[in-house]
Amino acid sequence: METQENKNSEKKEITYPKFIQERLDRIPWEELESQYGIRKDYIMSHEQIARQLANGQVTDYVNCYARVGNLTVMGPMALQANFRGDRVEVKHFTVNPNPDLSVYGDALRSEKVAERLLDSYDFVVRDEEGKAVRKEVRHSFANGGSPITLTRTAADGTETKTRCLVSFDAFVYNREGEIIRGTQRLFTVPCADVQAYLEKVAPSMYGHEFTQEQREALSEGKDLYIEDFKTKDGKVFDAVVQYSAVARQVVKVDTPFWRETMRKRSEANKTAAPAPEAKVQKAAAKEQAKQDNQQKAAPSRARRV
């Protein structure tokens, strides 16, 4: 396993947008390095992890180290920064081998929400030629599809109820099949914060402007089918999206409806596309017709006697 010190020899200079840079500057780097051996230059040279940290998202795995005598490996860990006014708190999460369906130490009460959070399916990873490489278990929903009510009790006995969205941080794999993300825990975000985020920070996605009705639906944990998303080069595409408390943003999700939609499209394309044998026969017939036309068009030669 490579240490952060070894990784630093490969670091590269990255320029971040002003908002991202300002948030990264507020991270308590000295505290992170002294407690977990997480160095600022290591995070700054890994763009995706740095952006995740600045956006308050749960990050990809970070190799963490504690100096107790000789260097001791503690990681991997995932990080998450909470920006509350002038105060910044960075939480760390170790990887759970089994799903932990608890919130603030209490088990998730809704069996229906728990079932949807753990809704999974087998996904076959294929190479560029379409050959099956491996099979992965993927989760289809970004959150429970409906908000939950969290009750916090203060020291004086008063209770505060907050409507929140809950998301399960499932394993994410890279192209080589290695797990690079996923703490197997639940994360929450207040529904009011989601509504404010969609109104002030991200009112649109891939060129689609969310309507008031769509923003309300997303803040309630519902999944939406959007047909007019656009890529940077103007290509239109459709997808199902939902708000994720792990990513702290609207993300594309693989719901049963979407998998069925893609299955039907794949079957329609196979039916519409000619079989390989038909393509060969058509090409051969076209070439033969071309030769016949050339022979007819060619002038006849005088016969030598």
Side-chain angles (χ1 to χ4, degrees):
M1 181 181 294
E2 293 182 288
T3 65
Q4 289 188 9
E5 285 77 5
N6 291 338
K7 286 283 189 179
N8 285 339
S9 61
E10 305 172 7
K11 66 181 180 180
K12 55 181 180 179
E13 290 293 332
I14 302 174
T15 302
Y16 293 99
K18 184 179 179 181
F19 171 78
I20 299 294
Q21 186 63 55
E22 287 178 348
R23 281 202 158 187
L24 290 172
D25 290 340
R26 295 173 57 192
I27 300 293
W29 295 111
E30 293 183 2
E31 179 182 327
L32 287 178
E33 184 171 356
S34 63
Q35 291 185 7
Y36 309 111
I38 300 174
R39 298 169 61 92
K40 179 180 180 179
D41 53 359
Y42 171 82
I43 299 296
M44 297 296 285
S45 63
H46 290 71
E47 184 173 3
Q48 179 158 311
I49 295 177
R51 287 178 175 271
Q52 289 169 337
L53 194 62
N55 287 319
Q57 302 170 357
V58 180
T59 69
D60 291 357
Y61 294 160
V62 177
N63 290 333
C64 303
Y65 303 87
R67 294 184 180 278
V68 182
N70 295 327
L71 197 66
T72 304
V73 178
M74 292 180 60
M77 290 183 180
L79 307 174
Q80 184 184 34
N82 290 326
F83 298 87
R84 300 291 182 184
D86 296 333
R87 185 169 58 90
V88 181
E89 177 189 8
V90 180
K91 298 179 180 180
H92 67 277
F93 308 93
T94 54
V95 181
N96 276 352
N98 300 309
D100 177 11
L101 297 183
S102 63
V103 183
Y104 301 135
D106 295 330
L108 187 65
R109 294 185 178 89
S110 173
E111 294 183 0
K112 181 179 180 181
V113 173
E115 183 180 350
R116 295 195 70 182
L117 285 168
L118 296 180
D119 177 44
S120 61
Y121 62 98
D122 291 333
F123 181 82
V124 179
V125 180
R126 302 181 183 276
D127 57 20
E128 295 179 355
E129 298 179 352
K131 183 179 179 181
V133 177
R134 64 179 181 279
K135 183 182 292 186
E136 297 175 358
V137 176
R138 293 190 176 183
H139 288 260
S140 61
F141 280 86
N143 55 58
S146 59
I148 62 174
T149 300
L150 298 181
T151 303
R152 303 298 299 271
T153 305
D156 60 1
T158 58
E159 292 185 346
T160 302
K161 296 183 181 293
T162 307
R163 296 288 279 175
C164 296
L165 295 185
V166 58
S167 299
F168 179 67
D169 185 23
F171 287 141
V172 176
Y173 301 82
N174 62 12
R175 293 181 179 179
E176 287 70 40
E178 302 169 330
I179 299 175
I180 60 170
R181 193 186 314 162
T183 59
Q184 298 276 78
R185 290 175 169 83
L186 297 181
F187 289 84
T188 62
V189 60
C191 294
D193 289 359
V194 177
Q195 183 75 14
Y197 167 83
L198 293 172
E199 290 177 354
K200 300 176 182 179
V201 181
S204 64
M205 178 181 183
Y206 292 121
H208 173 83
E209 190 83 18
F210 293 119
T211 65
Q212 178 63 29
E213 184 180 1
Q214 289 174 335
R215 291 197 295 269
E216 291 176 357
L218 289 169
S219 67
E220 284 292 310
K222 297 177 181 178
D223 50 285
L224 298 179
Y225 174 58
I226 308 296
E227 298 181 86
D228 61 345
F229 284 140
K230 291 183 180 179
T231 61
K232 291 183 179 180
D233 57 1
K235 184 178 179 181
V236 179
F237 69 97
D238 57 344
V240 177
V241 297
Q242 194 173 31
Y243 188 88
S244 167
V246 176
R248 296 295 175 117
Q249 62 185 12
V250 179
V251 298
K252 292 188 290 185
V253 290
D254 220 340
T255 64
F257 161 78
W258 183 245
R259 293 199 298 276
E260 181 65 15
T261 299
M262 296 304 291
R263 184 188 67 80
K264 290 180 178 179
R265 286 183 186 175
S266 178
E267 290 182 352
N269 291 336
K270 288 180 181 178
T271 304
E277 296 80 4
K279 287 184 178 180
V280 173
Q281 294 175 358
K282 186 176 180 181
K286 186 176 181 180
E287 181 62 26
Q288 184 62 47
K290 181 179 179 181
Q291 293 178 1
D292 292 342
N293 290 335
Q294 288 177 344
Q295 289 178 358
K296 292 179 180 178
S300 56
R301 284 191 176 183
R303 199 174 202 184
R304 291 190 181 181
V305 187

